[in-house]
Each structure stands twice: as C-alpha cells, then as structure tokens.
Amino acid sequence: MESLYTQYTKNQIRKIKNFSLCKEENQISDLYTVICKKIPGSIFSKINYNFFEGLVESGIVNIFSIRKQKKIVSIITVVDFENYTLLKKKIFLYLLKNPFKVIINFTFLLKNFFKDSTKLSINKDHLHLLHLVIHKKYFKKITLKEKDNIFNSFFKEILKLYNAKIFFLCYEKENSKANNFYLRNKFKIYDTKSNIIFVKKKIR
C-alpha cells in the first residue's frame, strides 16, 4: 500500500500550505481498498472493485485526494446531481445480477440501499459527498482550526468544479468522528432515520 502515498499526480487543483487538492485518475484499486477499510459501512465494501472502477471510469463517481507533498492524507469521492439517481440504479441492477451477494449481506445491503431522505429536494446546486477518509496523523502539526479551514477551502473548490453550492451526505449515528467533524464544520442536520444522520452545508 506504500505506493498509494508516494505516487505523484499532476492533476493538482489548489494548494494551501503543504496540502494540495488533486483529482485522482490512477491507482483506483488502492484508493478503493482504503475506502472500504476506513468506511466499512459503505455499500461499496460489499460490492466488488470492478464495479467501482467502472463507476469511476464512466465519471459517475469522481475521486479527489488531499496530498501532503506526495502522500495522500485524505480521500474524497463525490457524485453530481445528474449521476446521483443513476448510481442508485446501477447498484440495484448489480445486486439483481449478483443475488448471492444479496443473500449473504441482506441486512447490511437493505440498510444501505435505502439511505435516502424525503426531506431534501436535490437539484443541480447539490453535490453528494459519497466518501470522506481522513488520515489524522498527517494533520497533527497544525491546529484543528487550520485543518478545518483547509478542508472547507477544498470543499469549496470541488463544488465549483460542478457548479454546485451545497454538499449533502449521510452517516451512521454511531460514527462519532464523522458527527464531530461535520457538526464542527457547520454542516446542518436536515433529517434522521433509524440510525442514519443526514447533513448538508451551503458553501459560498
């Protein structure tokens, strides 16, 4: 896995101090492995890599990283408004074609597939934050405020790429790290369902 943290990318979007926001188009397998390891509650942890790779190659899922020099210190995946419904359809069709995965992961998949809220009407101004992985050890030399400012600045840059203004996402209630991060950074809770919290943030 060392290669994940050392390969150089030319797709730099913005740099703040020693941190760079980059668009990732290579090493998708390594990035996928890290996402599944760090976010075991993601539905992609039960769906194979080839399916995920196809989503990235077709532009349905887009992957960004935050790098400190050449090392990846954060992974961010997003889905735009036009692809949000398409992604759910593709996952549904994949599961129809792979009933064995449904059988052995039925409860998990049922809970994940219906992670939707009826209290948010999304449009082209919305961008779905699908995954956020943060390797905390690489941020220890800066203050929490500096870290948050870096992420919010990079979130703004990503939104601009899609002509969007609002990030929205959901996470499990027991995920205290996610809850602390999003609420500290002024993401607003707009719905709760069972063990899921739905949040959004408008970034100008």
Side-chain angles (χ1 to χ4, degrees):
M1 191 63 65
E2 182 64 23
S3 61
L4 173 64
Y5 300 106
T6 58
Q7 181 167 321
Y8 178 70
T9 179
K10 294 182 180 179
N11 298 327
Q12 180 175 293
I13 298 168
R14 184 181 176 188
K15 186 173 183 180
I16 301 175
K17 296 184 178 181
N18 294 323
F19 297 93
S20 299
L21 175 66
C22 303
K23 181 75 165 60
E24 294 293 334
E25 297 174 350
N26 301 309
Q27 293 185 294
I28 305 303
S29 178
D30 287 340
L31 295 166
Y32 171 80
T33 299
V34 173
I35 289 169
C36 292
K37 180 180 179 181
K38 296 294 184 179
I39 312 178
S42 169
I43 195 169
F44 292 100
S45 67
K46 304 299 181 183
I47 296 178
N48 68 32
Y49 164 70
N50 290 334
F51 177 74
F52 182 78
E53 182 183 38
L55 295 174
V56 175
E57 290 180 347
S58 63
I60 295 173
V61 173
N62 289 279
I63 305 179
F64 297 87
S65 71
I66 297 175
R67 290 175 175 257
K68 186 175 183 181
Q69 297 176 341
K70 296 181 181 181
K71 297 181 179 180
I72 291 180
V73 301
S74 179
I75 301 170
I76 303 165
T77 68
V78 301
V79 181
D80 66 20
F81 166 68
E82 292 183 353
N83 286 311
Y84 182 64
T85 300
L86 179 59
L87 173 62
K88 291 189 289 184
K89 288 181 179 178
K90 284 189 170 291
I91 292 174
F92 181 72
L93 290 174
Y94 172 87
L95 294 175
L96 282 181
K97 294 177 182 178
N98 296 273
F100 181 69
K101 284 187 177 290
V102 177
I103 293 170
I104 63 175
N105 300 292
F106 180 77
T107 302
F108 178 92
L109 292 172
L110 184 67
K111 181 179 71 172
N112 275 265
F113 196 74
F114 293 99
K115 280 184 176 179
D116 267 340
S117 170
T118 58
K119 294 185 179 180
L120 181 67
S121 178
I122 67 170
N123 54 44
K124 61 182 178 62
D125 288 334
H126 292 75
L127 186 66
H128 182 50
L129 182 54
L130 185 62
H131 301 111
L132 174 61
V133 174
I134 301 174
H135 297 296
K136 291 177 61 177
K137 65 181 180 180
Y138 295 105
F139 295 90
K140 288 184 177 179
K141 293 185 178 180
I142 62 174
T143 66
L144 189 61
K145 183 177 181 180
E146 288 175 315
K147 172 187 171 183
D148 288 346
N149 286 340
I150 288 170
F151 273 92
N152 281 295
S153 294
F154 287 158
F155 285 161
K156 185 175 181 178
E157 290 295 327
I158 293 172
L159 285 169
K160 284 169 57 179
L161 292 174
Y162 299 90
N163 294 315
K165 300 175 183 177
I166 301 168
F167 261 132
F168 71 101
L169 67 137
C170 63
Y171 54 89
E172 290 78 12
K173 287 183 179 178
E174 60 266 26
N175 190 341
S176 59
K177 291 181 179 179
N179 191 64
N180 290 338
F181 176 83
Y182 291 117
L183 296 189
R184 187 178 72 241
N185 284 284
K186 297 183 173 25
F187 281 73
K188 304 296 184 184
I189 296 174
Y190 66 88
D191 196 8
T192 58
K193 182 194 293 186
S194 183
N195 69 324
I196 303 298
I197 296 175
F198 299 85
V199 298
K200 64 179 180 178
K201 181 178 181 179
K202 187 172 185 178
I203 302 177
R204 300 180 184 278

